[in-house]
Amino acid sequence: MKLKVLVVAGDGIGPEVTAEASRILRSVAELGGYEFEFREALIGGAAIKAQGTPLPQATLDGALESDAVLLGAVGGNEFNSLPPDKRPEAGLLQIRQALGGFANLRPAFAHPALAANSPLKPEVIDGADILFVRELLGGLYFGEPRQWDREAGSAWNTMRYTRDEVIRVARVAFELAQKRRKKLTSVDKANVLEVSQLWRATVTEVAKDYPDVTLDHQYVDAMSMHLMNTPRSYDVVLTENLFGDILSDESAVITGSLGMLPSATIGGQVNLYEPVHGSAPDIAGKGLANPLGAILTAAMLLRHSGNLEQDAAAIETAVRKVLEQGYRTADLARSEKDKKMVLSTQEMGKQVHETLNEIIDRRQAMHAV
């Protein structure tokens, strides 16, 4: 098994959490006898400082030559005065577009060990396991024309989708639903937006090819309420770019921290993997960042780019066991008991690493019997 991974740590806490995710991947490679090649490149604010652009050509070339890209985070307040197309976030949008990944997978799940961290009642979130499939290359974020006319005091963006764009992301969602609980919820605003009417009609058409998957539709405003009231009712949630961005972030309350959530962008030439959290510049370099979202992102990398399901599941099990043992990073420590078990970024990474090694060693021993 060979896998070429480009690591673009980015800004803020990105380098810290990405280092722990990379360490986990290296351990999997060593224990499994795989050949993983890691290279590093700049993106975002780090690239602006070094080369004057948020996405250097060398980074883009390296990404396109890789099997997967592992990204930390981009952004920082010091860059807010730059024009939008020169800010760190522009580099992220550019690499997403260049790699061609159109389906962003964002899991949201309830860890029993973190039930007290959620503002929702334990009986509401218990067993919740949602996979958001967010269309990533269309809608308001990429639609043209777009402009801020400062002299006129007006601005506009364009929400645009084609039927083919909806079909391709819908097929990804239906295929993932077939591997899970065979239920798909499509989210739109078809009572107001023509774009959503196209979306709903197209998803309904695609559903005919997946008779084993139950499809239902929800308006985005209603869905934002249902996620908080009945999250266990949902399996795979399919939606367009803007709605998916908002709903998947909202779902972090189910888990108890945005720092726990991974994501994968698939469907293009090269898959891109990044934790959902931002760069958090206020805690960068202090060892306070939660690396578990990045580590779980590494698991998604193994699953979707390496086809290494057992190893991906082993990482997820290691994270669960560490949390069950009471270990926490600062963002997860809500009670006095939790605060006695707080680990730094590196200490949490080490704890997961040791637990993962035990799981893989045990698995290999069983196979050898």
Side-chain angles (χ1 to χ4, degrees), residues 120-171:
L120 303 178
K121 295 179 181 179
E123 59 267 28
V124 171
I125 63 172
D126 182 39
D129 180 7
I130 305 171
L131 178 60
F132 288 90
V133 180
R134 167 191 171 192
E135 200 290 324
L136 203 63
L137 294 183
L140 279 174
Y141 291 176
F142 289 96
E144 297 287 350
R146 56 190 297 153
Q147 187 176 340
W148 177 11
D149 188 334
R150 291 171 172 79
E151 292 185 4
S154 64
W156 56 92
N157 292 89
T158 301
M159 178 182 281
R160 185 189 302 271
Y161 274 106
T162 66
R163 179 175 174 274
D164 287 345
E165 287 175 321
V166 180
I167 287 175
R168 66 182 186 178
V169 73
R171 291 199 179 280

Short mmCIF file of all heavy atoms in Angstrom, two decimals, residues 120-171:
data_model
loop_
_atom_site.label_atom_id
_atom_site.label_comp_id
_atom_site.label_asym_id
_atom_site.label_seq_id
_atom_site.Cartn_x
_atom_site.Cartn_y
_atom_site.Cartn_z
N LEU A 120 -27.23 20.30 24.75
CA LEU A 120 -28.45 19.52 24.58
C LEU A 120 -28.52 18.42 25.63
O LEU A 120 -27.49 17.94 26.12
CB LEU A 120 -28.48 18.90 23.18
CG LEU A 120 -28.38 19.88 22.01
CD1 LEU A 120 -28.38 19.14 20.68
CD2 LEU A 120 -29.51 20.90 22.05
N LYS A 121 -29.72 17.99 25.96
CA LYS A 121 -29.90 16.95 26.96
C LYS A 121 -29.31 15.63 26.47
O LYS A 121 -29.40 15.31 25.28
CB LYS A 121 -31.39 16.77 27.26
CG LYS A 121 -32.04 17.98 27.91
CD LYS A 121 -33.52 17.74 28.15
CE LYS A 121 -34.18 18.96 28.78
NZ LYS A 121 -35.63 18.74 29.00
N PRO A 122 -28.71 14.85 27.37
CA PRO A 122 -28.11 13.57 26.97
C PRO A 122 -29.10 12.66 26.24
O PRO A 122 -28.73 11.96 25.29
CB PRO A 122 -27.67 12.95 28.30
CG PRO A 122 -27.41 14.13 29.18
CD PRO A 122 -28.44 15.15 28.80
N GLU A 123 -30.36 12.65 26.68
CA GLU A 123 -31.34 11.78 26.03
C GLU A 123 -31.69 12.24 24.62
O GLU A 123 -32.21 11.46 23.81
CB GLU A 123 -32.62 11.68 26.87
CG GLU A 123 -33.32 13.01 27.13
CD GLU A 123 -32.89 13.66 28.45
OE1 GLU A 123 -31.75 13.42 28.88
OE2 GLU A 123 -33.72 14.40 29.02
N VAL A 124 -31.38 13.51 24.30
CA VAL A 124 -31.62 14.01 22.95
C VAL A 124 -30.51 13.59 21.99
O VAL A 124 -30.76 13.19 20.85
CB VAL A 124 -31.75 15.56 22.96
CG1 VAL A 124 -31.79 16.11 21.54
CG2 VAL A 124 -33.00 15.97 23.71
N ILE A 125 -29.28 13.65 22.45
CA ILE A 125 -28.15 13.38 21.55
C ILE A 125 -27.66 11.94 21.58
O ILE A 125 -26.91 11.52 20.69
CB ILE A 125 -26.95 14.31 21.87
CG1 ILE A 125 -26.42 14.03 23.29
CG2 ILE A 125 -27.34 15.76 21.69
CD1 ILE A 125 -25.13 14.76 23.61
N ASP A 126 -28.08 11.16 22.59
CA ASP A 126 -27.58 9.80 22.72
C ASP A 126 -27.80 9.00 21.43
O ASP A 126 -28.93 8.85 20.97
CB ASP A 126 -28.28 9.10 23.89
CG ASP A 126 -27.75 7.70 24.11
OD1 ASP A 126 -26.53 7.49 23.98
OD2 ASP A 126 -28.57 6.80 24.40
N GLY A 127 -26.71 8.51 20.85
CA GLY A 127 -26.81 7.71 19.63
C GLY A 127 -26.84 8.51 18.35
O GLY A 127 -26.90 7.93 17.26
N ALA A 128 -26.77 9.84 18.44
CA ALA A 128 -26.79 10.65 17.22
C ALA A 128 -25.54 10.41 16.39
O ALA A 128 -24.42 10.41 16.91
CB ALA A 128 -26.91 12.13 17.57
N ASP A 129 -25.71 10.21 15.10
CA ASP A 129 -24.59 9.93 14.18
C ASP A 129 -25.02 10.41 12.80
O ASP A 129 -25.72 9.70 12.08
CB ASP A 129 -24.26 8.44 14.18
CG ASP A 129 -23.12 8.10 13.23
OD1 ASP A 129 -22.49 9.02 12.67
OD2 ASP A 129 -22.85 6.89 13.04
N ILE A 130 -24.61 11.61 12.45
CA ILE A 130 -25.04 12.25 11.20
C ILE A 130 -23.84 12.46 10.30
O ILE A 130 -22.76 12.82 10.75
CB ILE A 130 -25.72 13.61 11.48
CG1 ILE A 130 -26.87 13.46 12.47
CG2 ILE A 130 -26.21 14.26 10.18
CD1 ILE A 130 -27.43 14.78 12.96
N LEU A 131 -24.03 12.24 9.01
CA LEU A 131 -23.00 12.56 8.03
C LEU A 131 -23.57 13.60 7.08
O LEU A 131 -24.48 13.32 6.29
CB LEU A 131 -22.58 11.32 7.24
CG LEU A 131 -21.54 11.57 6.15
CD1 LEU A 131 -20.24 12.14 6.73
CD2 LEU A 131 -21.25 10.29 5.37
N PHE A 132 -23.03 14.82 7.15
CA PHE A 132 -23.42 15.87 6.23
C PHE A 132 -22.64 15.71 4.93
O PHE A 132 -21.41 15.52 4.95
CB PHE A 132 -23.12 17.25 6.82
CG PHE A 132 -24.05 17.65 7.93
CD1 PHE A 132 -23.74 17.33 9.25
CD2 PHE A 132 -25.23 18.32 7.66
CE1 PHE A 132 -24.59 17.69 10.28
CE2 PHE A 132 -26.08 18.68 8.68
CZ PHE A 132 -25.77 18.36 10.00
N VAL A 133 -23.34 15.80 3.83
CA VAL A 133 -22.70 15.84 2.51
C VAL A 133 -23.02 17.21 1.93
O VAL A 133 -24.14 17.49 1.51
CB VAL A 133 -23.21 14.72 1.58
CG1 VAL A 133 -22.53 14.82 0.21
CG2 VAL A 133 -22.95 13.35 2.21
N ARG A 134 -22.01 18.06 1.94
CA ARG A 134 -22.17 19.46 1.53
C ARG A 134 -21.57 19.66 0.15
O ARG A 134 -20.40 19.37 -0.08
CB ARG A 134 -21.47 20.36 2.55
CG ARG A 134 -21.28 21.80 2.12
CD ARG A 134 -20.33 22.49 3.10
NE ARG A 134 -19.94 23.82 2.64
CZ ARG A 134 -18.95 24.54 3.18
NH1 ARG A 134 -18.26 24.04 4.21
NH2 ARG A 134 -18.65 25.73 2.70
N GLU A 135 -22.36 20.17 -0.79
CA GLU A 135 -21.81 20.52 -2.10
C GLU A 135 -20.84 21.67 -1.89
O GLU A 135 -21.15 22.64 -1.21
CB GLU A 135 -22.93 20.93 -3.05
CG GLU A 135 -22.57 20.84 -4.52
CD GLU A 135 -21.55 21.90 -4.96
OE1 GLU A 135 -21.63 23.05 -4.43
OE2 GLU A 135 -20.70 21.58 -5.81
N LEU A 136 -19.66 21.60 -2.51
CA LEU A 136 -18.59 22.50 -2.11
C LEU A 136 -18.10 23.45 -3.20
O LEU A 136 -17.36 24.37 -2.90
CB LEU A 136 -17.40 21.68 -1.60
CG LEU A 136 -16.43 22.41 -0.67
CD1 LEU A 136 -17.11 22.84 0.62
CD2 LEU A 136 -15.22 21.55 -0.36
N LEU A 137 -18.51 23.27 -4.43
CA LEU A 137 -17.94 24.10 -5.50
C LEU A 137 -18.96 24.99 -6.20
O LEU A 137 -18.64 25.61 -7.22
CB LEU A 137 -17.23 23.21 -6.54
CG LEU A 137 -16.00 22.46 -6.05
CD1 LEU A 137 -15.36 21.69 -7.20
CD2 LEU A 137 -14.98 23.41 -5.44
N GLY A 138 -20.15 25.05 -5.68
CA GLY A 138 -21.18 25.88 -6.31
C GLY A 138 -21.84 26.79 -5.31
O GLY A 138 -21.32 27.06 -4.23
N GLY A 139 -23.02 27.30 -5.67
CA GLY A 139 -23.78 28.15 -4.77
C GLY A 139 -23.19 29.54 -4.62
O GLY A 139 -22.42 30.02 -5.45
N LEU A 140 -23.54 30.19 -3.53
CA LEU A 140 -23.14 31.59 -3.30
C LEU A 140 -21.64 31.78 -3.22
O LEU A 140 -21.12 32.85 -3.55
CB LEU A 140 -23.78 32.10 -2.01
CG LEU A 140 -25.23 32.56 -2.08
CD1 LEU A 140 -25.74 32.90 -0.69
CD2 LEU A 140 -25.36 33.77 -2.99
N TYR A 141 -20.92 30.77 -2.77
CA TYR A 141 -19.48 30.95 -2.55
C TYR A 141 -18.70 31.05 -3.86
O TYR A 141 -17.61 31.60 -3.88
CB TYR A 141 -18.93 29.80 -1.71
CG TYR A 141 -19.40 29.79 -0.28
CD1 TYR A 141 -19.05 28.77 0.59
CD2 TYR A 141 -20.20 30.80 0.23
CE1 TYR A 141 -19.48 28.74 1.91
CE2 TYR A 141 -20.64 30.79 1.54
CZ TYR A 141 -20.27 29.76 2.37
OH TYR A 141 -20.70 29.76 3.68
N PHE A 142 -19.25 30.48 -4.92
CA PHE A 142 -18.53 30.49 -6.19
C PHE A 142 -19.32 31.12 -7.34
O PHE A 142 -18.77 31.35 -8.41
CB PHE A 142 -18.15 29.06 -6.59
CG PHE A 142 -17.06 28.47 -5.73
CD1 PHE A 142 -17.38 27.66 -4.66
CD2 PHE A 142 -15.72 28.74 -5.98
CE1 PHE A 142 -16.38 27.11 -3.86
CE2 PHE A 142 -14.72 28.19 -5.20
CZ PHE A 142 -15.05 27.39 -4.12
N GLY A 143 -20.58 31.39 -7.14
CA GLY A 143 -21.41 31.91 -8.22
C GLY A 143 -20.99 33.30 -8.69
O GLY A 143 -20.57 34.14 -7.90
N GLU A 144 -21.13 33.53 -9.96
CA GLU A 144 -20.86 34.83 -10.57
C GLU A 144 -22.13 35.34 -11.26
O GLU A 144 -22.92 34.55 -11.75
CB GLU A 144 -19.73 34.70 -11.60
CG GLU A 144 -18.38 34.27 -11.02
CD GLU A 144 -17.68 35.36 -10.23
OE1 GLU A 144 -18.15 36.51 -10.28
OE2 GLU A 144 -16.69 35.05 -9.55
N PRO A 145 -22.33 36.67 -11.28
CA PRO A 145 -21.45 37.74 -10.81
C PRO A 145 -21.52 37.93 -9.29
O PRO A 145 -22.48 37.54 -8.65
CB PRO A 145 -21.97 38.97 -11.54
CG PRO A 145 -23.43 38.69 -11.71
CD PRO A 145 -23.53 37.20 -11.95
N ARG A 146 -20.48 38.56 -8.76
CA ARG A 146 -20.42 38.91 -7.35
C ARG A 146 -19.63 40.21 -7.23
O ARG A 146 -18.63 40.40 -7.93
CB ARG A 146 -19.76 37.79 -6.54
CG ARG A 146 -18.36 37.43 -7.04
CD ARG A 146 -17.82 36.17 -6.39
NE ARG A 146 -17.67 36.32 -4.96
CZ ARG A 146 -17.72 35.29 -4.09
NH1 ARG A 146 -17.94 34.07 -4.55
NH2 ARG A 146 -17.56 35.50 -2.81
N GLN A 147 -20.08 41.10 -6.37
CA GLN A 147 -19.38 42.38 -6.28
C GLN A 147 -19.87 43.17 -5.06
O GLN A 147 -21.01 43.01 -4.61
CB GLN A 147 -19.63 43.22 -7.54
CG GLN A 147 -18.81 44.49 -7.61
CD GLN A 147 -19.01 45.24 -8.92
OE1 GLN A 147 -19.44 44.67 -9.91
NE2 GLN A 147 -18.69 46.51 -8.93
N TRP A 148 -18.98 44.01 -4.54
CA TRP A 148 -19.34 45.01 -3.54
C TRP A 148 -19.04 46.37 -4.17
O TRP A 148 -17.90 46.75 -4.35
CB TRP A 148 -18.53 44.81 -2.27
CG TRP A 148 -18.79 45.85 -1.21
CD1 TRP A 148 -19.79 46.78 -1.17
CD2 TRP A 148 -18.02 46.04 -0.02
NE1 TRP A 148 -19.70 47.55 -0.05
CE2 TRP A 148 -18.63 47.12 0.69
CE3 TRP A 148 -16.90 45.42 0.53
CZ2 TRP A 148 -18.12 47.59 1.91
CZ3 TRP A 148 -16.41 45.90 1.74
CH2 TRP A 148 -17.01 46.96 2.43
N ASP A 149 -20.10 47.08 -4.52
CA ASP A 149 -19.97 48.40 -5.11
C ASP A 149 -20.01 49.42 -3.97
O ASP A 149 -21.08 49.83 -3.51
CB ASP A 149 -21.11 48.66 -6.10
CG ASP A 149 -20.92 49.95 -6.89
OD1 ASP A 149 -20.25 50.86 -6.38
OD2 ASP A 149 -21.46 50.04 -8.01
N ARG A 150 -18.84 49.82 -3.52
CA ARG A 150 -18.76 50.69 -2.36
C ARG A 150 -19.35 52.06 -2.63
O ARG A 150 -19.96 52.68 -1.75
CB ARG A 150 -17.30 50.81 -1.90
CG ARG A 150 -16.75 49.52 -1.30
CD ARG A 150 -15.25 49.60 -1.07
NE ARG A 150 -14.74 48.45 -0.34
CZ ARG A 150 -14.50 47.28 -0.89
NH1 ARG A 150 -14.74 47.07 -2.18
NH2 ARG A 150 -14.02 46.28 -0.15
N GLU A 151 -19.17 52.56 -3.84
CA GLU A 151 -19.69 53.89 -4.16
C GLU A 151 -21.21 53.89 -4.17
O GLU A 151 -21.85 54.84 -3.69
CB GLU A 151 -19.16 54.34 -5.52
CG GLU A 151 -17.66 54.62 -5.53
CD GLU A 151 -17.20 55.19 -6.87
OE1 GLU A 151 -18.07 55.42 -7.74
OE2 GLU A 151 -15.99 55.42 -7.03
N ALA A 152 -21.78 52.84 -4.71
CA ALA A 152 -23.25 52.75 -4.77
C ALA A 152 -23.85 52.28 -3.45
O ALA A 152 -25.06 52.38 -3.24
CB ALA A 152 -23.66 51.81 -5.90
N GLY A 153 -23.01 51.72 -2.59
CA GLY A 153 -23.52 51.22 -1.32
C GLY A 153 -24.34 49.96 -1.47
O GLY A 153 -25.33 49.77 -0.74
N SER A 154 -23.96 49.11 -2.42
CA SER A 154 -24.70 47.85 -2.61
C SER A 154 -23.71 46.72 -2.91
O SER A 154 -22.56 46.96 -3.30
CB SER A 154 -25.70 47.98 -3.75
OG SER A 154 -25.04 48.21 -4.99
N ALA A 155 -24.17 45.50 -2.71
CA ALA A 155 -23.34 44.33 -2.98
C ALA A 155 -24.25 43.19 -3.40
O ALA A 155 -25.43 43.16 -3.06
CB ALA A 155 -22.54 43.94 -1.73
N TRP A 156 -23.68 42.25 -4.15
CA TRP A 156 -24.48 41.11 -4.59
C TRP A 156 -23.62 39.87 -4.79
O TRP A 156 -22.45 39.94 -5.12
CB TRP A 156 -25.24 41.45 -5.88
CG TRP A 156 -24.37 41.91 -7.02
CD1 TRP A 156 -23.81 41.16 -8.00
CD2 TRP A 156 -24.00 43.26 -7.30
NE1 TRP A 156 -23.10 41.95 -8.87
CE2 TRP A 156 -23.20 43.24 -8.47
CE3 TRP A 156 -24.24 44.49 -6.67
CZ2 TRP A 156 -22.65 44.41 -9.02
CZ3 TRP A 156 -23.69 45.63 -7.22
CH2 TRP A 156 -22.91 45.60 -8.38
N ASN A 157 -24.25 38.73 -4.54
CA ASN A 157 -23.68 37.43 -4.82
C ASN A 157 -24.70 36.62 -5.61
O ASN A 157 -25.89 36.95 -5.62
CB ASN A 157 -23.33 36.68 -3.54
CG ASN A 157 -22.17 37.33 -2.81
OD1 ASN A 157 -22.37 38.21 -1.98
ND2 ASN A 157 -20.97 36.90 -3.11
N THR A 158 -24.24 35.58 -6.25
CA THR A 158 -25.12 34.79 -7.11
C THR A 158 -25.16 33.34 -6.62
O THR A 158 -24.11 32.70 -6.51
CB THR A 158 -24.63 34.80 -8.57
OG1 THR A 158 -24.60 36.15 -9.04
CG2 THR A 158 -25.54 33.97 -9.45
N MET A 159 -26.34 32.86 -6.28
CA MET A 159 -26.50 31.44 -5.96
C MET A 159 -26.91 30.73 -7.24
O MET A 159 -27.99 30.98 -7.80
CB MET A 159 -27.57 31.24 -4.87
CG MET A 159 -27.81 29.78 -4.53
SD MET A 159 -29.09 29.52 -3.28
CE MET A 159 -28.19 29.90 -1.78
N ARG A 160 -26.03 29.85 -7.70
CA ARG A 160 -26.28 29.19 -8.99
C ARG A 160 -25.87 27.72 -8.91
O ARG A 160 -24.80 27.37 -8.38
CB ARG A 160 -25.47 29.89 -10.09
CG ARG A 160 -25.74 29.37 -11.50
CD ARG A 160 -24.75 29.95 -12.49
NE ARG A 160 -24.78 31.41 -12.51
CZ ARG A 160 -25.58 32.12 -13.29
NH1 ARG A 160 -26.42 31.50 -14.10
NH2 ARG A 160 -25.53 33.43 -13.25
N TYR A 161 -26.72 26.86 -9.43
CA TYR A 161 -26.39 25.43 -9.57
C TYR A 161 -26.91 24.93 -10.90
O TYR A 161 -27.94 25.40 -11.40
CB TYR A 161 -27.01 24.59 -8.44
CG TYR A 161 -26.16 24.53 -7.20
CD1 TYR A 161 -26.52 25.25 -6.06
CD2 TYR A 161 -25.00 23.78 -7.18
CE1 TYR A 161 -25.74 25.22 -4.93
CE2 TYR A 161 -24.20 23.74 -6.04
CZ TYR A 161 -24.57 24.46 -4.93
OH TYR A 161 -23.78 24.43 -3.81
N THR A 162 -26.19 23.97 -11.46
CA THR A 162 -26.69 23.27 -12.63
C THR A 162 -27.22 21.91 -12.20
O THR A 162 -26.85 21.38 -11.13
CB THR A 162 -25.58 23.06 -13.67
OG1 THR A 162 -24.59 22.16 -13.13
CG2 THR A 162 -24.92 24.38 -14.04
N ARG A 163 -28.03 21.33 -13.04
CA ARG A 163 -28.58 20.01 -12.75
C ARG A 163 -27.47 18.99 -12.57
O ARG A 163 -27.53 18.14 -11.67
CB ARG A 163 -29.52 19.61 -13.89
CG ARG A 163 -30.17 18.24 -13.75
CD ARG A 163 -31.17 18.02 -14.87
NE ARG A 163 -31.71 16.67 -14.83
CZ ARG A 163 -31.13 15.62 -15.41
NH1 ARG A 163 -29.99 15.79 -16.08
NH2 ARG A 163 -31.69 14.42 -15.34
N ASP A 164 -26.45 19.05 -13.41
CA ASP A 164 -25.35 18.08 -13.33
C ASP A 164 -24.59 18.19 -12.02
O ASP A 164 -24.13 17.19 -11.46
CB ASP A 164 -24.39 18.26 -14.51
CG ASP A 164 -24.99 17.78 -15.83
OD1 ASP A 164 -26.00 17.05 -15.79
OD2 ASP A 164 -24.44 18.13 -16.89
N GLU A 165 -24.41 19.43 -11.52
CA GLU A 165 -23.72 19.62 -10.25
C GLU A 165 -24.49 18.97 -9.10
O GLU A 165 -23.90 18.39 -8.19
CB GLU A 165 -23.52 21.11 -9.98
CG GLU A 165 -22.46 21.78 -10.84
CD GLU A 165 -22.39 23.28 -10.61
OE1 GLU A 165 -23.45 23.91 -10.44
OE2 GLU A 165 -21.28 23.82 -10.60
N VAL A 166 -25.81 19.09 -9.16
CA VAL A 166 -26.63 18.50 -8.11
C VAL A 166 -26.62 16.97 -8.22
O VAL A 166 -26.51 16.26 -7.21
CB VAL A 166 -28.08 19.03 -8.18
CG1 VAL A 166 -28.93 18.40 -7.07
CG2 VAL A 166 -28.10 20.55 -8.07
N ILE A 167 -26.68 16.46 -9.44
CA ILE A 167 -26.69 15.01 -9.64
C ILE A 167 -25.44 14.37 -9.06
O ILE A 167 -25.51 13.36 -8.34
CB ILE A 167 -26.82 14.67 -11.14
CG1 ILE A 167 -28.23 14.97 -11.63
CG2 ILE A 167 -26.47 13.20 -11.40
CD1 ILE A 167 -28.40 14.78 -13.13
N ARG A 168 -24.27 14.94 -9.34
CA ARG A 168 -23.04 14.28 -8.92
C ARG A 168 -22.89 14.24 -7.40
O ARG A 168 -22.44 13.24 -6.84
CB ARG A 168 -21.82 14.92 -9.58
CG ARG A 168 -21.52 16.34 -9.16
CD ARG A 168 -20.31 16.89 -9.91
NE ARG A 168 -19.93 18.22 -9.42
CZ ARG A 168 -18.90 18.91 -9.87
NH1 ARG A 168 -18.13 18.40 -10.83
NH2 ARG A 168 -18.62 20.11 -9.38
N VAL A 169 -23.27 15.31 -6.70
CA VAL A 169 -23.14 15.29 -5.25
C VAL A 169 -24.25 14.44 -4.63
O VAL A 169 -24.05 13.78 -3.60
CB VAL A 169 -23.13 16.72 -4.67
CG1 VAL A 169 -24.51 17.38 -4.71
CG2 VAL A 169 -22.59 16.70 -3.25
N ALA A 170 -25.42 14.42 -5.26
CA ALA A 170 -26.51 13.59 -4.75
C ALA A 170 -26.13 12.11 -4.82
O ALA A 170 -26.43 11.34 -3.91
CB ALA A 170 -27.79 13.86 -5.53
N ARG A 171 -25.47 11.71 -5.88
CA ARG A 171 -25.06 10.31 -6.01
C ARG A 171 -24.07 9.91 -4.92
O ARG A 171 -24.13 8.81 -4.37
CB ARG A 171 -24.47 10.04 -7.40
CG ARG A 171 -25.51 10.11 -8.52
CD ARG A 171 -25.05 9.41 -9.79
NE ARG A 171 -26.07 9.47 -10.82
CZ ARG A 171 -27.13 8.68 -10.88
NH1 ARG A 171 -27.31 7.75 -9.94
NH2 ARG A 171 -28.01 8.79 -11.85
#
